[in-house]
Amino acid sequence: MLRVGFLYSKIRQDEKLLLEEMRKRNLEIVKIDDKELNLSLEKQDFGIDILLERSVSHSRALYALKFFQSYGIPTVNTFDVATVCGDKAYTSLALENHGILTPKTRVALTEETAIQAMEELGWPCVIKPVTGSWARMCAKLNDKDAAEAVLEHKKVLGEYMHSIFYIQEYIEKPGRDIRAFVVGDETIAAIYRESEHWITNTSRGAIARNCEITEELNEICLKTAEAVGGGVLAMDVFEGKEGLMMNEVNYTMEFKNSVEPTGVDIPKKVIDYVVETARK
Amino acid sequence: MTKCIECEAEISLPAGLEKGEVIDCPECGVELEVVNAEKGELRVAEVEGEDWGQ
């Protein structure tokens, strides 16, 4: 019987759906609370054949994945994928290097060069922390006055990561963006996230509706999966004037709001992939 | 039945809870993480970290 390590911080609806799917298949589940990890350099035996990472914390996920891989345990996703997707600057670089259309992006390391980058990109622009999610601390900056205020706040209040200024051109969206789900080499489902607010995360109140997987959407999603290293991924796609643009890629995807509108059994697809990866 | 570790209110745990699930205390609203569902052991859930999310 396949033994699946299930790394978590807390069990949300997404994790319950995955656990339910694994129990249906009689897989042996070893739940591993990331708060209880005490990782040694020498190999630790967790009695598992594969690790499914569902940590809500990026830093815990990253270090746990590194150690589990070092112990010779395959992981979904891999440390390399988490490294690239967990840092927006690394993701943007991977997209650019693979010729994937993405919003114009600059990374500046001082307030002065951040303002310079913003003026070159034009107003409005968007500033985001390189790590973090749910659109936290993302700001749309309409002019230099707003930018200077945000940069000063980041300098005074922020930790060192807040002095890496990740700045993007602002993309006008048609009141929605696309969240697409890729598992292995298949774009399994996609939703529109509709909101009048410029932030279209469902965690911030956007409404999810099914989105047809067109050839164009499938192509950009599969190219992106290849660019970041593949696995189980959720992608944020903009409908730009020049076509679809890839914005961000998430490696511990949340999907509970997308099962119903798409009619796709996302947890089943994820566990299929975990089983297939373990058997390779 | 168990007790909220923050306000000591009596809490009736729903059936089928998993270790690691988070519930709200109906009295004080604090988020409580299930440590052991059978024994009714709870702890105050972690506060959302800056690196949390997908």
Side-chain angles (χ1 to χ4, degrees), chain A residues 62 83 104 164 192 244 268:
Chain A
L62 204 58
T83 302
K104 286 187 191 118
I164 299 160
Y192 288 118
L244 295 180
K268 179 182 178 298

Side-chain angles (χ1 to χ4, degrees), chain B residues 1-4 7-14 23-32 42:
Chain B
M1 291 290 274
T2 187
K3 280 191 173 181
C4 172
C7 72
E8 298 196 346
E10 297 267 333
I11 301 178
S12 164
L13 296 180
I23 58 167
D24 293 332
C25 169
E27 281 294 315
C28 69
V30 72
E31 287 195 324
L32 299 164
L42 304 169

Side-chain angles (χ1 to χ4, degrees), chain A:
Chain A
M1 188 192 293
L2 191 68
R3 300 164 302 170
V4 181
F6 190 83
L7 183 70
Y8 70 96
S9 313
K10 57 180 182 175
I11 304 292
R12 302 164 296 170
Q13 185 61 19
D14 302 274
E15 283 71 38
K16 286 192 88 165
L17 291 168
L18 291 166
L19 288 167
E20 199 177 297
E21 178 62 30
M22 288 195 283
R23 286 179 182 133
K24 260 196 256 173
R25 299 177 189 216
N26 292 320
L27 299 177
E28 188 178 327
I29 303 164
V30 179
K31 283 170 72 179
I32 303 168
D33 185 338
D34 63 16
K35 298 184 287 302
E36 292 168 9
L37 284 176
N38 175 3
L39 298 160
S40 58
L41 299 181
E42 64 278 9
K43 187 174 178 175
Q44 277 180 306
D45 185 13
F46 286 86
I48 58 175
D49 302 305
I50 190 162
L51 182 82
L52 173 57
E53 182 280 309
R54 292 294 310 175
S55 245
V56 78
S57 152
H58 171 59
S59 51
R60 288 182 203 165
L62 204 58
Y63 282 87
L65 287 170
K66 186 71 179 170
F67 276 77
F68 277 88
Q69 279 186 214
S70 160
Y71 300 155
I73 298 165
T75 61
V76 173
N77 286 309
T78 65
F79 169 77
D80 289 345
V81 170
T83 302
V84 173
C85 298
D87 184 305
K88 292 179 180 65
Y90 296 171
T91 310
S92 295
L93 271 177
L95 294 172
E96 180 67 27
N97 291 339
H98 284 76
I100 296 163
L101 190 62
T102 189
K104 286 187 191 118
T105 301
R106 298 288 180 85
V107 172
L109 307 175
T110 67
E111 290 161 84
E112 292 73 24
T113 48
I115 291 284
Q116 193 185 329
M118 289 168 186
E119 288 186 323
E120 285 168 12
L121 287 173
W123 310 104
C125 62
V126 174
I127 187 164
K128 305 172 181 179
V130 284
T131 57
S133 299
W134 303 322
R136 281 170 314 187
M137 289 179 280
C138 291
K140 180 183 167 199
L141 303 171
N142 291 331
D143 55 33
K144 192 176 175 184
D145 289 346
E148 284 173 345
V150 168
L151 291 172
E152 187 187 1
H153 280 74
K154 284 168 89 68
K155 184 184 173 190
V156 174
L157 301 173
E159 293 174 6
Y160 84 97
M161 288 301 279
H162 290 296
S163 55
I164 299 160
F165 303 110
Y166 177 89
I167 304 150
Q168 282 187 319
E169 65 173 326
Y170 177 72
I171 304 293
E172 282 291 350
K173 294 182 280 184
R176 68 186 188 191
D177 70 0
I178 297 169
R179 158 60 60 95
F181 300 91
V182 173
V183 176
D185 54 6
E186 187 190 357
T187 310
I188 60 162
I191 56 164
Y192 288 118
R193 303 187 299 185
E194 298 175 353
S195 173
E196 286 177 14
H197 198 278
W198 72 276
I199 291 173
T200 44
N201 293 53
T202 53
S203 61
R204 298 279 285 263
I207 293 166
R209 293 192 205 286
N210 185 46
C211 168
E212 186 195 343
I213 303 166
T214 60
E215 205 172 303
E216 187 190 8
L217 179 59
N218 186 45
E219 190 186 331
I220 194 170
C221 288
L222 296 188
K223 271 181 84 173
T224 298
E226 195 185 336
V228 301
V232 175
L233 302 162
M235 304 176 182
D236 297 345
V237 185
F238 293 157
E239 297 161 284
K241 284 181 191 147
E242 298 163 55
L244 295 180
M245 307 175 98
M246 188 56 65
N247 187 39
E248 289 180 16
V249 187
N250 303 289
Y251 71 94
T252 310
M253 67 189 200
E254 292 169 6
F255 54 83
K256 64 177 186 294
N257 296 323
S258 303
V259 174
E260 198 189 318
T262 62
V264 175
D265 191 343
I266 298 173
K268 179 182 178 298
K269 297 272 189 184
V270 173
I271 301 305
D272 281 346
Y273 181 79
V274 170
V275 171
E276 188 188 311
T277 306
R279 289 190 174 142
K280 270 181 189 167

Side-chain angles (χ1 to χ4, degrees), chain B residues 17-36:
Chain B
L17 272 183
E18 292 263 359
K19 177 182 186 300
E21 271 193 79
V22 174
I23 58 167
D24 293 332
C25 169
E27 281 294 315
C28 69
V30 72
E31 287 195 324
L32 299 164
E33 182 186 335
V34 178
V35 178
N36 186 319

